[in-house]
Amino acid sequence: MRAKKTSTADLTVLERLRSSGLRPTRQRLALAKLLFSQGDRHVTAEALFNEAKDNRVDVSLATVYNALHDFTEKDLLREISIDSSRSYFDTNVGDHYHFYFETSGRLMDIPAERIAIANLPEAPGGAEVARVDVIIRIKD
Amino acid sequence: MRAKKTSTADLTVLERLRSSGLRPTRQRLALAKLLFSQGDRHVTAEALFNEAKDNRVDVSLATVYNALHDFTEKDLLREISIDSSRSYFDTNVGDHYHFYFETSGRLMDIPAERIAIANLPEAPGGAEVARVDVIIRIKD
DNA sequence: CAAGCAGTTTAGAATCGATCTAATTTAAGA
DNA sequence: TCTTAAATTAGATCGATTCTAAACTGCTTG
């Protein structure tokens, strides 16, 4: 294979992987680049797999699942479950909520500041809150 | 088969089905009775199927799925998606939210009054809000 | 109250997203 | 360069759900 110059975008992504303790393999680098070089995104595993194919990134479906889970574990992604057959990975890992458009299946971020949640009951038994998910489902 | 007296509970359930426009078949009546005669419940299809078996209610798994979906469509149940492999049906169809206990997989209702959601942003394009789901995930 | 029929149930096959397996390849340190 | 643990892969498998097409049953009508 021909050597390829490392671009700036590659570097950023490479640093992100390294500082998360993930070995920057060819596949992870390529997938991370697709995920993190176009602003906030919501992708399914299947969609990312197809996007990779379209971009001549040769990865197996298993690797896409592995990478998505590895990234999620390292807080590079956040997983959003919409229904039993639809799971998205969100590149925005900050505090925020979602609109879900039922007919198009599209997801849209709602900044945390736009929703005020008050009186949040304490977890029974004083257990720790892992996360608060808010999904506003839109009939469209 | 021996004729059986129709109990009060059966009657209530029968009325519920009828007024929803669902034909009160033997299977639907039995499942509805299991679902609606013991307070608020959160069940999976599989769990209800097993519960039916334990109670000598002879129904197929397909029928359990059909009934759960029919009931959900008629607003007798509400479906809660926890993750891609876990979906619950909630007999409480009023306005409320949920605690989800990650290790036990248990779901607990939070009355709507216990959470104040302010500044709820309007749906883009003025579309109608179908529902607001709030799931507080507990690390336990 | 018999007949007809649309709606319902059923077993088992099929589907679908996701995960696993075991063999192969690769990144990275010695 | 060598070694090794980590990562990738194709394809098998899994588990939840849906589908299929045949049998059955509540309900209305004649």
Side-chain angles (χ1 to χ4, degrees):
Chain A
M1 215 210 298
R2 189 141 43 92
K4 210 186 198 167
K5 195 159 76 175
T6 308
S7 78
T8 316
D10 286 339
L11 257 184
T12 312
V13 153
L14 187 144
E15 283 155 14
R16 256 166 102 102
L17 292 186
R18 270 206 218 290
S19 60
S20 296
L22 291 172
R23 239 205 259 179
T25 62
R26 192 187 103 257
Q27 292 86 342
R28 281 181 180 156
L29 279 168
L31 293 173
K33 207 169 149 196
L34 289 176
L35 286 169
F36 303 121
S37 304
Q38 0 181 356
D40 290 342
R41 306 193 61 192
H42 304 98
V43 301
T44 62
E46 203 65 29
L48 182 59
F49 179 60
N50 288 325
E51 193 178 329
K53 276 201 293 207
D54 293 347
N55 286 272
R56 313 240 175 73
V57 172
D58 194 12
V59 286
S60 70
L61 182 57
T63 297
V64 170
Y65 276 103
N66 288 339
L68 287 172
H69 289 145
D70 294 342
F71 293 178
T72 300
E73 223 155 81
K74 301 299 186 182
D75 282 316
L76 264 34
L77 290 176
R78 167 172 161 186
E79 191 171 359
I80 317 276
S81 174
I82 291 301
D83 63 49
S84 48
S85 66
R86 225 183 252 277
S87 185
Y88 288 95
F89 292 85
D90 189 345
T91 59
N92 178 355
V93 294
D95 191 17
H96 70 285
Y97 308 116
H98 294 97
F99 279 123
Y100 174 65
F101 300 95
E102 297 191 329
T103 55
S104 65
R106 195 169 252 85
L107 216 48
M108 178 187 284
D109 286 355
I110 306 174
E113 316 86 68
R114 302 236 22 225
I115 299 188
I117 298 187
N119 309 331
L120 191 65
E122 225 178 298
E128 192 188 346
V129 171
R131 196 168 90 192
V132 177
D133 285 340
V134 177
I135 300 178
I136 303 181
R137 293 172 193 265
I138 304 295
K139 226 178 283 181
D140 62 337
Chain B
M1 215 208 297
R2 191 140 41 91
K4 210 186 200 166
K5 196 159 75 176
T6 307
S7 77
T8 317
D10 287 338
L11 256 184
T12 313
V13 153
L14 189 144
E15 281 154 15
R16 255 164 104 102
L17 293 185
R18 271 208 217 290
S19 61
S20 297
L22 292 171
R23 223 198 264 182
T25 62
R26 193 193 98 242
Q27 292 87 339
R28 282 181 180 155
L29 279 168
L31 293 173
K33 206 168 149 198
L34 289 177
L35 287 169
F36 303 121
S37 305
Q38 8 182 349
D40 291 343
R41 307 193 62 191
H42 303 100
V43 301
T44 62
E46 202 66 28
L48 182 58
F49 178 60
N50 288 324
E51 193 177 330
K53 275 202 293 205
D54 293 347
N55 286 272
R56 315 243 173 71
V57 171
D58 193 11
V59 286
S60 70
L61 183 55
T63 297
V64 171
Y65 276 103
N66 288 340
L68 287 173
H69 289 144
D70 294 342
F71 292 178
T72 300
E73 223 155 80
K74 301 299 187 184
D75 284 314
L76 263 34
L77 290 175
R78 167 172 161 185
E79 192 172 357
I80 317 276
S81 173
I82 291 300
D83 62 50
S84 48
S85 65
R86 223 184 254 279
S87 184
Y88 288 95
F89 292 85
D90 189 345
T91 58
N92 178 354
V93 294
D95 191 16
H96 70 286
Y97 309 116
H98 294 96
F99 278 122
Y100 173 66
F101 301 95
E102 298 191 329
T103 55
S104 66
R106 195 169 254 85
L107 215 48
M108 177 187 286
D109 286 354
I110 306 174
E113 316 85 68
R114 303 237 20 222
I115 300 187
I117 298 186
N119 310 331
L120 192 66
E122 226 179 297
E128 192 186 345
V129 170
R131 195 169 91 192
V132 177
D133 284 341
V134 176
I135 299 179
I136 303 181
R137 292 171 195 267
I138 304 295
K139 223 178 289 181
D140 64 338

